[in-house]
Amino acid sequence: MDNIRLFFALCCGILCGACTHTTTPPSDDVLVPLQSISPFPVGVAVDVGRLLSHTPYRTVAETHFNSFTAENSMKMSALRPDASSFYWDEADTLAAFCKQLGARLHGHTLVWHNQNPDWVENFQGTPEQWAAMLKKHIQTVVARYKGTATTWDVVNEAFDDNGGLRPTIWRQHLGDDYIAQCFQWAREADPTAQLLYNDYNVEENGAKLQAVLLMLDDFQKRGIPIDGIGFQMHILDTYPPLPSIHAAVQAVQQRGVLIHFSELDVSLNFAKTATALTEGMKQRQRQRVEDIVSLYRTIPAAQQVGITLWGIADTDSWIPNFFSRLDWPLLFDEQYNPKPALYGFLDALRK
Ligand code: G3I
C-alpha cells in the first residue's frame, strides 16, 4: 500500500509544480463556525491537558466543533493504571466540557491492540478470566459515560491491510469471535449508544473493506448489535482516489448502517519531499477537503454520524512524530489561524 501512496504522492507533486495558485483565499471567503452551518456533527480529537491550558486551542475547539473525541484519554492505557482501579480525571473533564457546550462525546476506544497498559499485556488467566477482565472494562467505561458518549468506537483496527484478523492479545485469549462479544457487552451497558467498528484504510476499497463488510453482514445475520463503521480517513492529498473512497462508502451505506469519518486528516508530505508548506499544497488540501465533505454529504442524513478531524492545528497532529516528517494535515495553522482547507470544508457545507 505504501508504494501506491508514494506513487500518487510523487505524481501529484510533479503535476502541481506546474500549477499556478492564488496566494490568498478568494475574497468572498466568509469565516463562520463549522458547526454553525453543518447538518451533521463536526468533531475533533483533543488532548485534554491542552484544552485546559492553551486558550487558542480551546477557543477553536469551542467555536468550530460540536463533537469531541479524546485523542488518548479514553484508551485503556489512560483509564486503567492497574487491574482494580480506573483513572477518570481527564475523561471526566472532557465529558463535562462536552456537557457544558451541549456537544457530543464520541467514545474512543474500548478495545484496541495499541495503548494497553502493561498489566493487561502481562495478564495471566484462562479465556474466561480474560473475557471477564475485558467485559468489566467495557461495561464500566460505557456505563460511566451513558448519555454523554452517545457514539462509541467499540473495537478499533482489528483487521490488517490484507483483510486478516490481527493476532491481538484479545483474539489470542478470547478467540476469533471476540469482536462480537465486545459489541454485546457494550450494548448491555448502554442500550441506546451507537456502537461502531473503527479502522483505517477502509476507504481504500480493498481487502480490509471486504473483511469489514463480511463482519458486518455476519453480525447483522446473527443479531450482533453493531450500528455502524468508522472510516478513519487518514488520507493523502492524492490517495486514495475519490472514486475508491466513494465506492467504499457506498458499500457500507448499502448495508443501512451509520458512517463516521472518524479521524480525518489530509497529509501533504507523504513522500517527504517538501520542506515548507507552499500555497499550491494549501490549495490542493482545500480542494481535497471540499471533495471529502461533499462526498460525505451524499450519505443519507439518517446514516451520518459526522466528520471528525484528528486534531486542531498542524502542530497538534500525530503525523510528524509518528512518521518522522514535516507535515501540515489539519485545518488550522501553528497560530490556530484557519487554513484554506477550512474554507474548503465550509464551501462543501454551503453547497
Ligand atoms: O503520555 C506519554 C508521555 O508521558 C511521554 O512523556 C511521551 C513521550 O513520548 O509519550 C506520551 O505518550 C504518547 C501519547 O500519544 C500521548 O501523547 C505516546 O508516546 C504516543 O505513541 C501516543 O500517540 C498516539 C497514538 O494514537 C498511539 O498509537 C497519538 O497521540 C494519537 O493521535 C494516535 O491516535 C490513533 C487513534 O487512536 C487510532 N487510529 C490511528 C490514530 C493515529 O495513530
Side-chain angles (χ1 to χ4, degrees):
M1 288 312 153
D2 275 2
N3 286 340
I4 303 175
R5 284 178 178 231
L6 185 60
F7 173 76
F8 272 89
L10 286 173
C11 286
C12 187
I14 291 161
L15 289 174
C16 283
C19 297
T20 54
H21 292 289
T22 54
T23 51
T24 50
S27 57
D28 57 352
D29 275 350
V30 177
L31 181 62
V32 295
L34 282 174
Q35 47 89 9
S36 73
I37 61 165
S38 178
F40 48 77
V42 188
V44 69
V46 289
D47 178 276
V48 177
R50 197 153 171 78
L51 202 55
L52 296 177
S53 63
H54 197 261
T55 305
Y57 185 93
R58 188 184 176 108
T59 302
V60 171
E62 289 173 341
T63 304
H64 286 279
F65 300 98
N66 56 4
S67 173
F68 294 89
T69 305
E71 186 174 1
N72 290 297
S73 302
M74 293 176 80
K75 293 171 180 171
M76 206 172 186
S77 58
L79 290 178
R80 304 302 304 280
D82 56 58
S84 53
S85 49
F86 288 78
Y87 170 77
W88 299 115
D89 290 12
E90 290 191 9
D92 280 2
T93 299
L94 185 59
F97 176 79
C98 290
K99 271 191 190 152
Q100 194 193 341
L101 282 182
R104 175 179 68 194
L105 176 62
H106 171 71
H108 173 85
T109 176
L110 296 166
V111 184
W112 194 19
H113 59 276
N114 274 339
Q115 287 179 288
N116 289 319
D118 288 346
W119 69 264
V120 167
E121 297 285 346
N122 300 325
F123 189 79
Q124 300 292 322
T126 62
E128 291 71 28
Q129 288 166 325
W130 271 88
M133 179 258 280
L134 185 56
K135 179 180 177 183
K136 175 185 167 189
H137 176 75
I138 291 175
Q139 296 201 329
T140 308
V141 177
V142 171
R144 187 171 183 94
Y145 298 107
K146 193 173 169 181
T148 310
T150 50
T151 52
W152 273 101
D153 293 334
V154 176
V155 177
N156 192 47
E157 301 172 8
F159 296 103
D160 63 31
D161 279 336
N162 299 318
L165 260 187
R166 280 181 199 273
T168 69
I169 49 169
W170 309 116
R171 179 187 178 201
Q172 196 184 327
H173 295 288
L174 278 76
D176 285 359
D177 207 29
Y178 79 94
I179 306 177
Q181 279 188 298
C182 294
F183 277 87
Q184 283 167 320
W185 291 330
R187 174 61 82 236
E188 283 168 18
D190 187 348
T192 58
Q194 293 170 329
L195 306 179
L196 310 173
Y197 173 80
N198 192 53
D199 213 329
Y200 63 88
N201 286 355
V202 182
E203 56 279 355
E204 277 188 339
N205 193 31
K208 190 183 275 189
L209 175 74
Q210 291 310 314
V212 169
L213 295 175
L214 277 178
M215 176 189 71
L216 202 47
D217 293 343
D218 172 53
F219 282 13
Q220 289 187 325
K221 209 177 328 160
R222 289 200 281 147
I224 305 296
I226 187 168
D227 296 305
I229 302 298
F231 289 67
Q232 290 187 6
M233 299 291 291
H234 295 293
I235 60 173
L236 310 184
D237 46 353
T238 51
Y239 187 83
L242 211 54
S244 300
I245 303 176
H246 199 204
V249 164
Q250 280 185 323
V252 174
Q253 190 182 311
Q254 279 160 10
R255 273 127 175 120
V257 297
L258 300 171
I259 296 173
H260 187 195
F261 283 0
S262 56
E263 304 186 11
L264 178 65
D265 43 36
V266 177
S267 169
L268 295 172
N269 199 20
F270 180 78
K272 298 191 183 184
T273 49
T275 53
L277 177 61
T278 64
E279 194 57 32
M281 291 157 71
K282 289 182 195 171
Q283 296 303 327
R284 203 153 76 232
Q285 188 179 50
R286 173 181 183 148
Q287 187 60 53
R288 182 69 157 161
V289 169
E290 182 179 342
D291 289 345
I292 294 299
V293 177
S294 299
L295 189 161
Y296 193 79
R297 294 200 64 188
T298 66
I299 299 168
Q303 287 176 260
Q304 292 175 336
V305 177
I307 299 181
T308 296
L309 275 301
W310 205 246
I312 295 181
D314 288 337
T315 32
D316 305 316
S317 171
W318 66 290
I319 289 177
N321 266 346
F322 191 85
F323 294 110
S324 301
R325 68 174 187 243
L326 287 172
D327 218 319
W328 305 270
L330 294 168
L331 303 186
F332 294 85
D333 69 17
E334 299 73 25
Q335 279 76 45
Y336 291 85
N337 293 317
K339 287 167 61 190
L342 178 71
Y343 292 99
F345 203 127
L346 288 169
D347 285 347
L349 293 177
R350 288 188 177 114
K351 273 185 204 159

